[in-house]
Amino acid sequence: MRTDQLVSTFVEYYEERGHRRITGSTLLPPDGDPVLFTTSGMHPLTPYLEGRPHPLGRRLVNVQRCLRTTDLDEVGDATHLTVFEMLGTWSLGDYGGPRSLDWGYGLLTEGLGVDPGLLYATAFGGDGRTGPDTASVELWQGLGVPVELTVEDNWWPNDSAGPCGPDSEIFLWTGEGPPRSTPTRDDRWVEVWNHVTMTHRRLDDGSLVPLPRRNVDTGLGLERLASLLQGESSVFACDVFDPWRRLVPARWPLDEPSLRLVCDHLRSAVVVLGDGVRPANTGRGYVLRRLVRRVLTVLWRDDPSRGVGDLPVELVEHTLDHFRQDLRPDDVLRMLIEEEHRFRGLLERGRGVLAKPRFRGTLSEEDLRYLHDTHGLPRELVLSLREE
């Protein structure tokens, strides 16, 4: 099942159950939001999860593009992407967590053909403030799905203010042979779907207050699920990356981890540019700048003559079309090339500065601050140049 078929199957399944499809937003959160990028499907819906009525009703479904800067250092493994799409469903004070889990199980096993024997669930085991999620445990036991109780791993989100609550996660076995062990003890169990029952709001001081109504928020990573359903061991092997894996190695021979990083970061840079962000030294623009510079660092490691101008325009067109963005491909390539020229100039200047006697020894924190504030040399760039 290709990703476009997976999206239509998902949306139609929930539309048949009374959900209205809402249009996913761009990567940019609303004005005044302190977060740089939309990080999850629930992010644009926070006001409605806190009680505001949604104009389309109390049952919603959508596809939302997301970017998580916290995953940048994980990119290159089998499951992490910088920009990805999240399939999501919401119950705004309507049905509860058990019904959401029951429908999720039905879509996976009947709609998508997943073998029930390859599923495992986790649920919140309770802590000193709230009790265990017995409703989810009973639902899974009734379906014959094994369930493991945890504490920190099954309260979401567990590190920021806003709506939160116990969650039950669905895992799929990806190992050879019959399933074994549990999700917390064997990483061959891969998380595919997170169902959160929003019961509380976390305040800035970490305390919890009950929400006036309970909501359900679910998130299912599109590329991750597609790779599993397509029998692939990596998100980079699903059909979304087919044109990238066909065209990039012909331009730049790379080892597998480097190929994954280059494809991910260039694809992500195109999406970020398509949503209106431009390279800068702070904020969203600096995230974009980091993506491009990391690509160039990898490309130049083996051949300094390589450049983003060699990127096939078909890949830019494919990405803009996939995310329904109207920026011209030629404009995207022009901005990437301009950023490459700036980076080459910065590297040349940085090498000259670091060659001065003052910086030949061990660099202190004061040195690193001076290099950043006076010469515009970011810490990671300085450390990279010192390793040359």
Side-chain angles (χ1 to χ4, degrees), residues 105 116 119-121 137 139-147 170:
Y105 174 84
L119 297 177
Y120 211 118
V137 172
L139 182 281
W140 290 124
Q141 290 174 338
L143 292 172
V145 176
V147 57
I170 306 174

Side-chain angles (χ1 to χ4, degrees), residues 9-154:
T9 298
F10 178 86
V11 172
E12 290 168 7
Y13 180 88
Y14 280 95
E15 286 179 334
E16 291 170 357
R17 287 155 181 79
H19 294 67
R20 300 284 299 278
R21 180 171 185 174
I22 55 177
T23 301
S25 70
T26 70
L27 289 174
L28 309 187
D31 291 340
D33 195 312
V35 177
L36 290 179
F37 293 99
T38 297
T39 59
S40 66
M42 69 157 279
H43 196 156
L45 291 169
T46 299
Y48 307 104
L49 293 168
E50 293 182 331
R52 181 189 302 176
H54 195 283
L56 292 182
R58 299 196 298 169
R59 297 184 181 188
L60 307 173
V61 59
N62 87 337
V63 183
Q64 172 66 50
R65 58 178 171 268
C66 307
L67 186 154
R68 292 181 181 170
T69 56
T70 54
D71 288 346
L72 276 176
D73 291 332
E74 305 295 332
V75 169
D77 67 5
T79 60
H80 287 89
L81 298 169
T82 305
V83 169
F84 62 95
E85 290 185 280
M86 185 72 77
L87 306 175
T89 66
W90 292 271
S91 164
L92 303 178
D94 194 342
Y95 57 83
R99 176 175 288 188
S100 177
L101 294 172
D102 188 43
W103 282 342
Y105 174 84
L107 175 60
L108 289 174
T109 58
E110 298 174 17
L112 301 177
V114 174
D115 180 352
L118 300 179
L119 297 177
Y120 211 118
T122 61
F124 183 64
D127 57 18
R129 295 186 292 183
T130 57
D133 183 7
T134 55
S136 294
V137 172
E138 291 173 358
L139 182 281
W140 290 124
Q141 290 174 338
L143 292 172
V145 176
V147 57
E148 180 181 22
L149 297 179
T150 81
V151 178
E152 293 184 1
D153 290 343
N154 283 97

Side-chain angles (χ1 to χ4, degrees), residues 10 20 32 41 56 67 71 74 90 121 146 154 159 242 246 252 255 284 304 315 340 370:
F10 178 86
R20 300 284 299 278
L56 292 182
L67 186 154
D71 288 346
E74 305 295 332
W90 292 271
N154 283 97
D159 59 356
D242 281 350
R246 185 177 70 253
W252 305 313
D255 58 45
R284 298 183 184 106
L315 296 179
E340 177 183 329
Y370 172 81

Side-chain angles (χ1 to χ4, degrees), residues 294-313:
R294 292 182 82 182
V295 168
L296 292 170
T297 300
V298 170
L299 294 181
W300 292 343
R301 186 175 57 211
D302 297 325
D303 184 352
S305 69
R306 291 171 174 172
V308 293
D310 299 327
L311 181 68
V313 69

Side-chain angles (χ1 to χ4, degrees), residues 327-344:
L327 195 62
R328 293 176 61 246
D330 288 344
D331 289 336
V332 171
L333 285 173
R334 174 182 53 79
M335 288 186 280
L336 291 175
I337 293 170
E338 290 173 354
E339 185 61 21
E340 177 183 329
H341 290 162
R342 281 191 288 266
F343 189 40
R344 284 190 185 274

Side-chain angles (χ1 to χ4, degrees), residues 126-245:
D127 57 18
R129 295 186 292 183
T130 57
D133 183 7
T134 55
S136 294
V137 172
E138 291 173 358
L139 182 281
W140 290 124
Q141 290 174 338
L143 292 172
V145 176
V147 57
E148 180 181 22
L149 297 179
T150 81
V151 178
E152 293 184 1
D153 290 343
N154 283 97
W155 185 277
W156 197 91
N158 59 15
D159 59 356
S160 60
C164 60
D167 76 322
S168 184
E169 299 176 1
I170 306 174
F171 290 77
L172 180 62
W173 176 253
T174 62
E176 297 291 336
R180 54 187 298 182
S181 192
T182 69
T184 63
R185 295 184 176 91
D186 194 322
D187 59 12
R188 288 175 293 180
W189 287 107
V190 175
E191 177 195 344
V192 294
W193 206 342
N194 190 9
H195 292 242
V196 185
T197 302
M198 299 285 186
T199 57
H200 291 77
R201 175 178 177 81
R202 178 182 283 106
L203 304 182
D204 291 335
D205 63 4
S207 61
L208 300 177
V209 295
L211 288 172
R213 69 179 187 192
R214 292 193 170 198
N215 308 299
V216 178
D217 156 51
T218 86
L220 176 67
L222 173 60
E223 296 88 351
R224 183 180 298 185
L225 181 61
S227 65
L228 294 172
L229 294 179
Q230 292 165 14
E232 303 292 353
S233 59
S234 160
V235 289
F236 295 96
C238 76
D239 65 288
V240 166
F241 283 93
D242 281 350
W244 290 84
R245 298 191 71 90

